Amino acid sequence: MQKKNAPIGVMDSGVGGLSVVTALRQTLPYEDILYFGDTANCPYGNKTREQLLKLSGNMLAYLTQRGVKCVALACNTTSSLAPVLRERVNVPIITIAESAADTVTQAKLKRVGVIATVFTVGSGIYDRCIRVASPDTTVASVGSPNLAALVENAATTEAQFDAEIRACMDDLLARAPVEDVILGCTHYPLVLDRFRACFPALRFHDPAPQQAKRVLKYLTENAIANEPHRAKLTVFTTGDPDVFREKCEAYGYGETYDMEFLKV
Ligand code: DGL
């Protein structure tokens, strides 16, 4: 039996999952969060399935040992590994990729583009999830080998972001003239302003709010949503805790969360 005051686990390759924390904060402001950001091994998107299973298995074990009541798998790249990961733990794993299909059904999208990591596109997870949720929606995808790492690097310039975004999106639009594009990597909503600046006529969709709704549904159905209190965000990172602190402060998390940053 999970406790109401147990934290929610969030895991990602690095800082990208902060786009999910933003959505969780809006939907579930009283939930404490244990966030694992595997920055030392980021980017995940160009790794093999075996490497990703090991790394995501380590993160999952770390969080579940600390008593989380559910895990929001913020990482799209490892979302296709969820069936294997679910067999290892007895808490639910709510993936961002499955939640992204809710975006398609709710907005009634019939033609959609997906920009994601190379591994995510190769895994076919978006095609599968959207086909199940909305069989008559066509999906065109493009993988970016560089964008997550560029977001992770605080020194990246706007010109570098724009060059990578334009190269990938031009490729996608040449194959499929879509108007709606899902940001299928949690790092990408952190540079939504660059996507909009480069392609002002397109609609970009962040699936994180749908993932937060799925977490809310699970907690509500099981009567384990936390009571009102000032929530705590604890970040475990294999990278530099100060980098995480700066990102979190930039997002204004300090106003609503007590925060702690720990090196793993
Ligand atoms: N942010 C993760 C995702 O959503 C992984 C990006 C990466 O590390 O390559 O896919």
Side-chain angles (χ1 to χ4, degrees):
M1 180 70 182
Q2 297 291 339
K3 293 201 189 107
K4 282 185 176 187
N5 63 359
I8 294 172
V10 177
M11 50 193 256
D12 189 68
S13 65
V15 296
L18 291 181
S19 55
V20 171
V21 176
T22 296
L24 287 171
R25 181 175 64 162
Q26 278 160 7
T27 307
L28 293 154
Y30 305 127
E31 298 301 328
D32 298 320
I33 292 176
L34 301 190
Y35 184 108
F36 197 121
D38 193 11
T39 311
N41 294 301
C42 188
Y44 273 14
N46 305 325
K47 294 196 189 313
T48 65
R49 187 175 190 277
E50 288 64 38
Q51 290 171 318
L52 293 173
L53 256 181
K54 187 162 182 288
L55 294 171
S56 53
N58 289 345
M59 284 198 283
L60 185 62
Y62 198 89
L63 291 175
T64 51
Q65 275 161 19
R66 278 157 186 76
V68 295
K69 57 188 171 188
C70 66
V71 171
L73 180 50
C75 181
N76 291 270
T77 303
T78 51
S79 284
S80 62
L81 308 179
V84 183
L85 296 174
R86 282 177 179 132
E87 299 203 336
R88 299 184 185 175
V89 293
N90 59 5
V91 292
I93 298 177
I94 297 161
T95 75
I96 183 106
E98 288 163 303
S99 311
D102 299 344
T103 304
V104 173
T105 49
Q106 289 194 3
K108 297 188 172 60
L109 305 180
K110 292 297 162 220
R111 204 161 57 162
V112 71
V114 176
I115 178 167
T117 67
V118 171
F119 188 92
T120 300
V121 172
S123 76
I125 183 75
Y126 266 84
D127 303 77
R128 286 198 294 284
C129 291
I130 293 172
R131 195 180 315 125
V132 168
S134 178
D136 56 345
T137 297
T138 58
V139 183
S141 307
V142 66
S144 165
N146 303 315
L147 190 52
L150 290 172
V151 173
E152 200 73 26
N153 180 354
T156 302
T157 63
E158 276 188 6
Q160 288 171 311
F161 283 129
D162 292 0
E164 178 69 9
I165 289 169
R166 283 186 195 285
C168 295
M169 288 300 304
D170 285 346
D171 176 14
L172 177 72
L173 294 172
R175 288 185 280 117
V178 293
E179 292 173 355
D180 292 275
V181 179
I182 295 177
L183 300 178
C185 170
T186 47
H187 282 74
Y188 302 172
L190 305 189
V191 288
L192 176 61
D193 60 330
R194 298 323 310 157
F195 277 93
R196 286 187 173 146
C198 293
F199 294 91
L202 300 185
R203 290 179 292 269
F204 293 100
H205 301 268
D206 174 5
Q210 297 299 339
Q211 187 178 23
K213 277 189 199 162
R214 284 194 178 215
V215 175
L216 170 66
K217 184 167 182 284
Y218 167 71
L219 298 183
T220 309
E221 284 176 356
N222 291 277
I224 53 169
N226 208 345
E227 307 295 341
H229 75 294
R230 183 174 164 85
K232 180 168 182 184
L233 170 65
T234 307
V235 173
F236 303 104
T237 178
T238 53
D240 183 347
D242 289 337
V243 171
F244 255 100
R245 180 182 294 281
E246 279 162 23
K247 282 265 181 194
C248 292
E249 283 170 357
Y251 278 100
Y253 291 164
E255 292 158 22
T256 44
Y257 287 121
D258 288 333
M259 301 196 294
E260 189 177 15
F261 298 83
L262 301 163
K263 173 98 176 157
V264 176

